[in-house]
Amino acid sequence: MKLEHTSVLLNRCITVLSTSLENKEKPVLVDATLGLGGHSLALLEKFPNLQIIGIDRDKSAIDKASQRLSSHLDRITIFHAVYDQTPKLLDSLGISSVDGILFDLGTSSMQLDQSERGFSYAQSAPLDMRMDQSSGITAQEIIDSYSRGELIRIIRSYGEEKFAQRIVDNIIEARASGLIKSTSDLADLIKRSIPAPARRLGGNPAKRTFQALRIEVNQELAILERAIPACLERLNVGGRMVVMSFQSLEDKIVKNFFTQATESKTPLGLPIEIKALSAKFSLVFNGSQKASDAEILDNSRAKSVRLRAIERVAA
Ligand SMILES: C[S@@+](CC[C@H](N)C(=O)[O-])C[C@H]1O[C@@H](n2cnc3c(N)ncnc32)[C@H](O)[C@@H]1O
């Protein structure tokens, strides 16, 4: 089993963040999703005065990152926390604002490869799926206790699964007899629930339901919705936030916040722009960037990445 993670769009992230970090005496950056520390390590090596605040909710990622970054521990402060706590963590360090914030969303390859964590439908394991195994409810508890309506809602909205109702009806029947106890029990049930012609399209039929459960277990979208605006408030003028999303629901949230933040609040129809109501942020480039074919060939995780970046232009 490999417990590694190849950082996605590493050079692109560094290039986009460089503008805010270079030529500063002591730049500060938040790596909100430290993972195995790949992005942090490259940034610490490139910017000798950079100070990083690294956050991850997964204790095993924190342990691995701490080892990997051991020669830079004087320049990185690592927190086992959820990233919507960023403002509180910065306050605890007496830092009011920072020059860069990086979000590399989703799970790391290490988490997917640790089959016992239950993220993968390819290996049989307990239905856990918690990024932080020290708290919160597991996928098993959701399967066992959510109502039919709640299950349909999450599988439909977080998994964008057309056959949510059929899958949930089968879950309700199977759980009554205690027949869903592992990722493979659930993956088999999903496969049986999807009509044969649809099963042949779009990859493993379990992918969408597993994504939905993982989002619900970890409250991924609600946390992202709290974190993006709170973190934008903590950027210095000239500071940049880079977000890499790996599925459309996250990317939509990021896009919406970035659009709102870059719009002037001057009422439409006024002949002049009111400076106090001008947008405080500007997009670094329009839309999102994808990985190159070469990077996708080298790292299949890069296939779905969408990178967005925003800069604070006014206090
Ligand atoms: C894609 S990996 C990051 C990889 C990292 N950039 C690297 O180069 O090694 C995403 C990490 O974010 C963490 N994570 C996801 N959601 C989080 C949240 N809400 N708060 C804190 N950490 C989170 C996961 O535990 C995982 O380790």
Side-chain angles (χ1 to χ4, degrees):
M1 185 190 4
K2 75 171 171 26
L3 294 181
E4 293 164 4
H5 178 86
T6 308
S7 304
V8 174
L9 295 181
L10 183 60
N11 291 330
R12 198 95 56 95
C13 281
I14 293 179
T15 307
V16 175
L17 288 166
S18 286
T19 313
S20 340
L21 305 180
E22 60 199 6
N23 307 324
K24 285 230 158 181
E25 208 175 302
K26 239 185 154 207
V28 181
L29 173 130
V30 173
D31 183 348
T33 50
L34 183 65
L36 300 199
H39 286 96
S40 277
L41 180 61
L43 287 160
L44 287 164
E45 283 172 350
K46 165 116 183 162
F47 301 101
N49 299 328
L50 177 65
Q51 198 72 41
I52 292 188
I53 293 99
I55 302 168
D56 205 293
R57 70 195 302 189
D58 182 339
K59 187 72 178 60
S60 69
I62 295 276
D63 293 343
K64 292 252 178 260
S66 305
Q67 275 172 32
R68 190 172 183 196
L69 299 167
S70 57
S71 51
H72 298 286
L73 290 180
D74 53 331
R75 290 195 289 130
I76 181 159
T77 310
I78 297 177
F79 289 101
H80 178 221
V82 179
Y83 56 54
D84 64 349
Q85 297 301 304
T86 302
K88 242 194 220 162
L89 301 175
L90 291 177
D91 289 345
S92 75
L93 298 172
I95 297 173
S96 57
S97 53
V98 299
D99 305 294
I101 306 181
L102 172 64
F103 287 89
D104 176 12
L105 300 174
T107 43
S108 67
S109 313
M110 180 193 77
Q111 289 167 329
L112 295 174
D113 288 342
Q114 289 174 326
S115 56
E116 72 282 5
R117 309 275 305 258
F119 289 113
S120 168
Y121 41 79
Q123 290 136 322
S124 189
L127 281 158
D128 189 325
M129 299 196 194
R130 287 170 303 167
M131 290 188 194
D132 179 358
Q133 290 188 292
S134 64
S135 70
I137 61 166
T138 64
Q140 183 74 58
E141 288 170 273
I142 289 174
I143 291 286
D144 289 343
S145 67
Y146 275 30
S147 69
R148 178 176 179 274
E150 283 172 319
L151 286 171
I152 292 174
R153 178 186 60 78
I154 64 164
I155 294 174
R156 201 174 265 159
S157 48
Y158 300 160
E160 300 179 284
E161 170 61 70
K162 272 197 298 198
F163 301 106
Q165 200 168 315
R166 297 169 72 133
I167 293 170
V168 171
D169 284 340
N170 286 337
I171 288 176
I172 301 288
E173 193 186 320
R175 80 179 182 189
S177 323
L179 293 178
I180 312 173
K181 289 287 167 233
S182 67
T183 50
S184 50
D185 292 341
L186 182 62
D188 291 345
L189 178 145
I190 295 165
K191 201 166 157 198
R192 285 198 308 276
S193 309
I194 291 182
R199 232 183 281 157
R200 285 191 281 274
L201 304 167
N204 193 309
K207 187 174 171 191
R208 294 178 293 276
T209 300
F210 272 60
Q211 171 181 301
L213 285 169
R214 198 197 82 203
I215 290 175
E216 177 68 10
V217 165
N218 296 291
Q219 292 294 299
E220 291 175 33
L221 304 181
I223 290 171
L224 187 63
E225 281 181 333
R226 289 196 293 271
I228 297 288
C231 287
L232 283 175
E233 280 307 307
R234 293 306 193 106
L235 271 184
N236 281 326
V237 174
R240 288 184 170 187
M241 177 189 285
V242 171
V243 187
M244 286 184 281
S245 312
F246 293 82
Q247 42 100 342
S248 58
L249 299 169
E250 284 172 345
D251 186 50
K252 213 183 280 172
I253 290 173
V254 178
K255 182 181 167 189
N256 286 343
F257 277 116
F258 281 16
T259 303
Q260 278 172 35
T262 51
E263 276 170 357
S264 166
K265 304 289 178 286
T266 299
L268 281 175
L270 275 195
I272 49 156
E273 172 76 13
I274 300 175
K275 195 143 185 273
L277 299 179
S278 290
K280 291 182 188 159
F281 294 87
S282 164
L283 294 178
V284 176
F285 47 81
N286 280 330
S288 65
Q289 293 188 350
K290 299 180 186 176
S292 65
D293 290 345
E295 182 164 7
I296 295 170
L297 209 61
D298 186 49
N299 178 11
S300 59
R301 242 191 112 246
K303 195 171 165 190
S304 51
V305 70
R306 298 290 177 271
L307 182 149
R308 294 183 187 270
I310 195 168
E311 179 174 325
R312 184 161 202 151
V313 291

